[in-house]
């Protein structure tokens, strides 16, 4: 579960972290009223769960009512990286002189949580980690004992944070770790932590993701999940409805498989053969017509998709049954909008390949051939 910025900042404020004064708004008039209450200048920030909102036009700084109305009119209702913006956070602008990154996540290689600090805040931290990893200080924490004060100080000083604000930044890191632990978070970060000219430390952004399997322990967070549903990606909402494991990506080759490992392998091969995956979609066990139709409906609904590859392994569900399900699902469409490539393996795979309606799909014997054909189709469709 991903919290929206305004929700994460509510959690942060309740924990005593310094966040700017802000109000949520859903209309132009509400934005103006909120800005007057907060006090100009303010930042108007789209509340959708994507990175790079500022570069995409989803964050604007305004100095008066006229600018606030114009910015609110532009941002509310806009499509931001595939997500509809129906709410904005109107937040007091911060006059900063420096930006930091502070976060906590799980280091799966070490099997421990890791606290991170960097003086390269305000930019994509993944890019920093890839290009200049030495710019991020890391301290691993034993979850049995929690974060000791000296560990927070070490992370801050190793990052090169200026001494006059180091203790305040260490306090932010300590609180973030405590929230990460108490709330069953998977990731929590502030990017940026802003340092003002008065040497105050302000959490200007907020990211907090929660382990779905632990939500039953957090009634307050469950309420936030329901509250935040209005701006959920339509495809992700469909995935929840259908019971699929789904992640939307930025490519144009749609991927459907039964089993997370199978889908991940297909993603890797699409990339290997020069394509770009459009999604991760695991339909799970069984491949009845209704389930296959729902999966196709989801993938076809993604305007970025130019082709689809099915990678199905027949285990308990036989290959011939899978093939019948695919045929029935495709026949339910008046027109198949994008080319579909199918690869079957496992129990009764050969029988299934013979059953598949080749007027509706392209059948390939190997996964490599299926992926290459799907990538070719995607390239051809994209050039039209």
């Amino acid at each position: 579960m991903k919290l929206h910025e305004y929700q994460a900042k509510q959690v942060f404020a309740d924990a005593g972290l310094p966040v700017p004064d802000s109000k949520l708004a859903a209309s132009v008039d509400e934005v103006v009223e909120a800005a007057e209450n907060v006090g100009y200048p303010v930042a108007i920030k789209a509340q959708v769960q994507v990175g790079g909102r500022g570069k995409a036009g989803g964050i604007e700084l305004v100095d008066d009512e006229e600018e606030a109305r114009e910015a609110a009119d532009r941002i509310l209702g806009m499509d931001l990286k595939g997500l509809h913006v129906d709410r904005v956070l109107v937040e007091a602008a911060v006059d900063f002189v420096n930006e930091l990154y502070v976060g906590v996540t799980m280091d799966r290689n070490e099997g421990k949580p890791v606290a991170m600090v960097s003086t390269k805040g305000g930019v994509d931290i993944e890019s920093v980690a890839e290009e200049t990893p030495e710019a991020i200080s890391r301290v691993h924490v034993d979850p049995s004992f929690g974060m000791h004060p000296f560990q927070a100080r070490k992370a801050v000083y190793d990052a090169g944070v200026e001494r006059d604000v180091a203790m305040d930044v260490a306090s932010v890191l300590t609180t973030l770790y405590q929230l990460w632990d108490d709330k069953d978070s998977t990731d929590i970060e502030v990017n940026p932590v802003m340092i003002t000219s008065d040497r105050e430390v302000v959490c200007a952004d907020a990211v907090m993701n929660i382990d779905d399997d632990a939500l039953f322990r957090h009634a307050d967070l469950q309420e936030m999940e329901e509250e935040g549903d209005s701006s959920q990606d339509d495809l992700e909402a469909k995935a929840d409805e259908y019971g699929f494991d789904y992640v939307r990506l930025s490519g144009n080759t749609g991927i459907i498989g039964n089993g997370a490992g199978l889908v991940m392998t297909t993603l890797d091969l699409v990339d290997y053969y020069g394509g770009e995956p459009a999604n991760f979609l695991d339909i799970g066990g069984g491949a009845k017509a209704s389930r296959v139709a729902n999966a196709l409906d989801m993938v076809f609904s993604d305007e970025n998709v130019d082709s689809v590859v099915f990678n199905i392994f027949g285990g308990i569900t036989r290959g011939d049954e899978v093939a019948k399900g695919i045929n029935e699902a495709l026949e339910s469409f008046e027109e198949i909008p994008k080319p579909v490539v199918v690869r079957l393996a496992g129990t009764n795979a050969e029988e299934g390949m013979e059953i598949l309606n080749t007027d509706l799909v392209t059948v390939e014997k190997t996964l490599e051939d299926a992926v290459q054909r799907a990538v070719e189709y995607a390239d051809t469709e994209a050039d039209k």
Side-chain angles (χ1 to χ4, degrees):
M1 171 191 169
K2 297 180 179 179
L3 297 187
H4 287 278
E5 178 190 5
Y6 76 92
Q7 295 171 323
K9 281 183 173 172
Q10 179 182 327
V11 175
F12 286 10
D14 290 343
L17 287 170
V19 298
D21 187 19
S22 63
K23 293 185 180 297
L24 192 66
S27 70
V28 173
D29 289 339
E30 287 182 11
V31 168
V32 172
E33 181 181 355
E36 290 174 350
N37 291 333
V38 171
Y40 292 102
V42 298
I44 300 176
K45 310 171 78 173
Q47 293 303 284
V48 290
Q49 294 164 334
V50 295
R53 289 175 298 165
K55 292 181 180 178
I59 299 177
E60 293 194 32
L61 290 172
V62 300
D63 294 315
D64 54 43
E65 179 181 338
E66 182 180 357
E67 290 183 1
R69 285 188 178 278
E70 292 174 353
D73 190 54
R74 282 191 293 269
I75 296 174
L76 285 168
M78 76 183 298
D79 182 275
L80 194 62
K81 297 187 177 181
L83 297 179
H84 179 75
V85 179
D86 60 7
R87 290 171 294 186
V88 296
L89 188 66
V90 182
E91 182 175 83
V94 180
D95 182 15
F96 67 93
V97 295
N98 200 3
E99 295 178 297
L100 311 175
Y101 168 89
V102 179
V104 180
T105 189
M106 174 61 72
D107 185 337
R108 300 192 183 280
N109 290 329
E110 295 291 332
K112 293 179 180 180
V114 59
M116 298 173 290
V117 180
S118 177
T119 55
K120 293 184 178 294
V123 297
D124 180 15
I125 196 64
E126 284 79 12
S127 297
V128 175
E130 182 176 343
E131 297 169 8
T132 54
E134 67 278 3
I136 304 174
S137 71
R138 298 172 174 83
V139 172
H140 289 89
V141 180
D142 186 334
S144 300
F145 300 99
M147 177 178 283
H148 296 291
F150 80 86
Q151 290 179 301
R153 294 194 298 271
K154 175 175 171 51
V156 169
Y157 284 117
D158 285 352
V161 175
E162 295 169 297
R163 287 184 172 272
D164 62 334
V165 295
M167 291 305 294
D168 288 338
V169 176
S171 176
V172 168
L173 179 58
T174 301
T175 303
L176 285 181
Y177 178 83
Q178 197 60 52
L179 284 172
W180 181 88
D181 189 36
D182 292 345
K183 301 294 187 181
D184 292 300
S185 179
T186 56
D187 307 280
I188 189 168
E189 67 179 39
V190 181
N191 188 20
V193 172
M194 289 183 171
I195 310 300
T196 72
S197 55
D198 295 330
R199 313 309 287 167
E200 293 182 351
V201 173
V202 181
C203 296
D205 193 22
V207 173
M208 188 174 186
N209 301 327
I210 310 298
D211 185 345
D212 289 329
D213 293 329
L215 276 176
F216 72 94
R217 289 201 287 247
H218 306 286
D220 55 335
L221 298 179
Q222 284 181 316
E223 291 176 3
M224 287 184 176
E225 181 182 37
E226 295 168 3
E227 178 186 336
D229 279 346
S230 63
S231 63
Q232 184 182 24
D233 186 307
D234 289 341
L235 293 176
E236 291 179 352
K238 276 188 178 182
D240 288 342
E241 178 185 344
Y242 294 149
F244 295 150
D245 289 329
Y246 174 83
V247 178
R248 190 179 189 184
L249 304 173
S250 59
N252 64 345
T253 302
I255 297 169
I256 301 173
N258 61 335
L262 211 60
V263 178
M264 286 301 298
T265 299
T266 312
L267 260 75
D268 289 341
L269 282 173
V270 167
D271 181 71
Y272 178 78
Y273 287 116
E276 295 184 37
N279 63 271
F280 172 104
L281 176 52
D282 175 11
I283 63 175
K288 294 182 179 179
S290 60
R291 196 161 181 81
V292 173
N294 289 340
L296 284 168
D297 175 54
M298 280 193 60
V299 176
F300 286 155
S301 296
D302 186 345
E303 60 186 16
N304 293 330
V305 170
D306 289 318
S307 72
V308 180
V309 57
F310 261 100
N311 184 13
I312 302 292
F313 182 85
I316 297 175
T317 303
R318 303 194 315 268
D320 54 333
E321 293 178 346
V322 173
K324 290 176 183 177
I326 292 174
N327 284 345
E328 290 178 26
L330 290 172
E331 288 164 3
S332 69
F333 289 89
E334 291 185 7
E335 180 182 355
I336 300 174
K338 302 296 178 181
V340 177
V341 184
V342 178
R343 174 261 190 178
L344 291 178
T347 308
N348 286 4
E350 292 185 6
E351 292 87 339
M353 299 284 252
E354 294 175 0
I355 291 172
L356 283 168
N357 184 344
T358 54
D359 291 334
L360 302 177
V361 301
T362 299
V363 179
E364 297 289 353
K365 290 186 177 181
T366 69
L367 176 56
E368 290 80 1
D369 289 342
V371 169
Q372 289 183 76
R373 182 62 63 90
V375 170
E376 290 172 5
Y377 284 154
D379 289 342
T380 300
E381 290 288 322
D383 291 338
K384 288 183 179 180

